[in-house]
Amino acid sequence: MLYAIISEDVADSLDKRAGARGDHLARLERLRDEGRLTLAGPHPAVDSPDPGQAGFTGSLVVAEFDSLDAARAWADADPYMAAGVYARVTVKPFKAVLP
């Protein structure tokens, strides 16, 4: 089943994101390579694809997991969690309706 992982950043998270980005992306690439990743990306803090120093306010990942518990465990192990990037993370079942 698909799950949405909705993460909200702490204030001024840009430097923390930069320090953990490589490991964060590597985990997402593994999901992609396993055919389980539907989409992933950050929420820019301003209305621009490149927010510069404004940074990001959070992230969204939609991916396939065996269960809600498995999706939560994956989210809890995100390097951004260990780096203190995220203030909170919500994991919910997701039903894709349109492409």
Side-chain angles (χ1 to χ4, degrees):
M1 181 167 181
L2 291 175
Y3 294 89
I5 301 170
I6 306 150
S7 307
E8 297 178 46
D9 283 21
V10 299
D12 302 315
S13 63
L14 198 56
D15 288 340
K16 292 178 182 180
R17 276 181 168 269
R21 188 169 190 265
D23 292 337
H24 171 78
L25 290 177
R27 295 178 81 237
L28 291 168
E29 290 165 352
R30 281 194 296 277
L31 283 179
R32 179 201 59 205
D33 294 348
E34 294 168 0
R36 297 170 47 205
L37 183 64
T38 299
L39 66 89
H43 301 285
V46 294
D47 190 12
S48 171
D50 182 4
Q53 289 303 307
F56 301 93
T57 62
S59 300
L60 172 64
V61 174
V62 177
E64 186 177 331
F65 294 93
D66 290 335
S67 67
L68 181 57
D69 287 340
R72 285 181 176 145
W74 187 90
D76 287 344
D78 193 309
Y80 278 0
M81 290 293 289
V85 172
Y86 294 148
R88 73 187 59 67
V89 175
T90 303
V91 181
K92 300 178 179 186
F94 183 83
K95 181 178 178 180
V97 175
L98 293 171

